[in-house]
Amino acid sequence: MATAAASTSLRLAPSARRSLSPVNAPRSLSLFSSTSLAITLRSSSLKSNISLKNPNLRVLATSMSIQAPEEAPPSSFLDRRESGFLHFVKYHGLGNDFILVDNRDSSEPKITPEQAAKLCDRNFGIGADGVIFAMPGINGTDYTMRIFNSDGSEPEMCGNGVRCFARFIAELENLQGKQSFTVHTGAGLIVPEVQEDGQVRVDMGEPVLKASDVPTKLPGNQSGAVVKSELDVDGVMWNVTCVSMGNPHCVTFGTKKGKDLVVDELNVADIGPKFEHHVVFPARTNTEFVQVYSPSHLKMRVWERGAGATLACGTGACATVVAAVLEGRASRNCVVDLPGGPLEIEWREEDNHVYMTGPAEVVFYGSVPL
């Protein structure tokens, strides 16, 4: 796959279209990307095809009227099937961004992990934290979700990604209003529900706490779970709680001798990889650094296994609330602030399931040659 001068066809999301009305559209609209783009702008008065090249992309227009979404439904774009092109829709969940691919006609991903890594490159590709494939359901589920991280590795699942997946399915199937469906993932059955307001509520299932199942080599110290256990990371002793939400998480609220964390003061890019690749995590780990504002309000920064420091991590927010409850720091209903925005997390006592509610928004539609 050629990445140095990839050609992409792009259609702006509704939020971007609304900002470019004839009244407020600037005479010079600059777009920045290192990927070559071909953009089609349509209106009642203007129809132009503009080729954009690296490094500074500029669209010149004296008058621009962008059509409303209902005049060009997303399905019309997704129905295009030029040979040799991968069609995609880019979504983000609180800034955690993904390339969504309609893979419902095959149980094998349309691209390889190596191609996914190239597409996720923010300088030479599309740019994303991962590529998500909407595939046929198995074992009685409606759909299967697979994801390749930006480094080409394949995680069991992704919380922000599954919200984006749900909105993508609703668009593909032209579903309106409140909708729910069953999704098979590497972490088991996940049930997302698109709400009337566009938010997505996801039943994330039960947290896994047994040390060997997380997995971690740290010994269980609370009914088989690792709760506020000591972990030596590069000579610093941290207190950690380990939780799996289908993927492994190490949650810390601070060091053994230090004060509670002020997460904005952390150099996550420096310390995160040391947790991820620590010998006590045989499958590597996601790591959440957490600050407690109140029993119902937490703040979190994350180092994601295979993706690095991201703006949000849905499974990480779920694991954080579980860990906070286990350590006696929080209630079962919390707002978790992430760099990209807040998520609502509930660890329900009645069924032991964790429920996550948050947004998922379309960024743009595109195609890229393979």
Side-chain angles (χ1 to χ4, degrees), residues 259-302:
K259 297 180 180 179
D260 289 341
L261 287 179
V262 178
V263 294
D264 288 339
E265 296 178 357
L266 285 175
N267 185 345
V268 175
D270 176 62
I271 189 66
K274 297 173 184 177
F275 276 86
E276 177 184 356
H277 298 282
H278 199 288
V279 67
V280 301
F281 301 115
R284 298 187 292 162
T285 190
N286 302 281
T287 308
E288 287 74 40
F289 303 92
V290 189
Q291 181 175 346
V292 179
Y293 286 147
S294 76
S296 61
H297 190 187
L298 309 175
K299 185 175 184 177
M300 180 192 98
R301 292 186 66 189
V302 61

Side-chain angles (χ1 to χ4, degrees), residues 29-359:
L29 168 67
S30 296
L31 303 175
F32 299 94
S33 171
S34 60
T35 303
S36 301
L37 303 177
I39 300 182
T40 300
L41 302 175
R42 293 185 176 85
S43 73
S44 58
S45 60
L46 173 65
K47 181 177 181 181
S48 56
N49 292 323
I50 306 168
S51 293
L52 305 179
K53 300 295 182 183
N54 300 344
N56 294 326
L57 311 182
R58 186 173 295 273
V59 179
L60 299 177
T62 56
S63 176
M64 186 181 297
S65 174
I66 306 300
Q67 64 190 42
E70 59 270 19
E71 295 177 25
S75 59
S76 66
F77 177 86
L78 295 169
D79 285 342
R80 296 171 57 191
R81 292 291 183 269
E82 294 94 338
S83 176
F85 279 76
L86 177 73
H87 298 276
F88 66 89
V89 183
K90 185 172 177 181
Y91 282 81
H92 80 88
L94 299 179
N96 196 191
D97 56 343
F98 304 95
I99 299 164
L100 275 292
V101 177
D102 182 4
N103 213 120
R104 292 173 298 166
D105 59 352
S106 174
S107 58
E108 291 296 323
K110 291 186 176 181
I111 61 173
T112 66
E114 293 76 19
Q115 288 175 312
K118 291 180 179 179
L119 291 178
C120 288
D121 190 290
R122 297 189 184 277
N123 294 310
F124 296 100
I126 297 166
D129 292 321
V131 179
I132 295 175
F133 306 90
M135 307 175 77
I138 60 176
N139 299 328
T141 58
D142 297 318
Y143 304 97
T144 295
M145 169 180 156
R146 288 184 65 181
I147 177 172
F148 292 151
N149 283 325
S150 58
D151 69 351
S153 62
E154 183 172 1
E156 297 84 355
M157 70 93 60
C158 173
N160 286 315
V162 78
R163 295 201 315 277
C164 294
F165 181 94
R167 290 293 301 271
F168 184 54
I169 290 296
E171 181 176 11
L172 289 175
E173 303 284 8
N174 196 27
L175 304 175
Q176 304 297 322
K178 191 173 183 179
Q179 301 285 341
S180 67
F181 29 82
T182 56
V183 181
H184 174 79
T185 75
L189 175 66
I190 299 293
V191 185
E193 182 180 78
V194 181
Q195 307 291 297
E196 294 284 356
D197 62 0
Q199 295 266 101
V200 182
R201 181 175 180 267
V202 186
D203 180 351
M204 300 289 287
E206 298 187 51
V208 175
L209 301 177
K210 185 179 178 181
S212 59
D213 293 337
V214 170
T216 177
K217 295 179 181 178
L218 288 170
N221 59 355
Q222 190 177 111
S223 301
V226 176
V227 179
K228 205 173 182 180
S229 184
E230 295 180 0
L231 178 64
D232 186 336
V233 181
D234 201 25
V236 178
M237 197 66 71
W238 295 77
N239 291 324
V240 302
T241 294
C242 297
V243 179
S244 172
M245 292 303 307
N247 55 354
H249 293 269
C250 174
V251 183
T252 181
F253 298 86
T255 60
K256 180 180 178 182
K257 295 183 179 179
K259 297 180 180 179
D260 289 341
L261 287 179
V262 178
V263 294
D264 288 339
E265 296 178 357
L266 285 175
N267 185 345
V268 175
D270 176 62
I271 189 66
K274 297 173 184 177
F275 276 86
E276 177 184 356
H277 298 282
H278 199 288
V279 67
V280 301
F281 301 115
R284 298 187 292 162
T285 190
N286 302 281
T287 308
E288 287 74 40
F289 303 92
V290 189
Q291 181 175 346
V292 179
Y293 286 147
S294 76
S296 61
H297 190 187
L298 309 175
K299 185 175 184 177
M300 180 192 98
R301 292 186 66 189
V302 61
W303 179 266
E304 289 199 55
R305 178 188 59 168
T310 62
L311 295 178
C313 177
T315 55
C318 294
T320 289
V321 171
V322 171
V325 171
L326 292 175
E327 291 195 21
R329 299 175 183 270
S331 64
R332 288 176 172 265
N333 285 275
C334 287
V335 172
V336 181
D337 288 342
L338 303 102
L343 285 173
E344 298 176 21
I345 308 296
E346 177 188 4
W347 184 16
R348 189 174 294 173
E349 194 166 9
E350 301 90 87
D351 60 8
N352 198 39
H353 284 217
V354 181
Y355 295 85
M356 169 188 63
T357 303

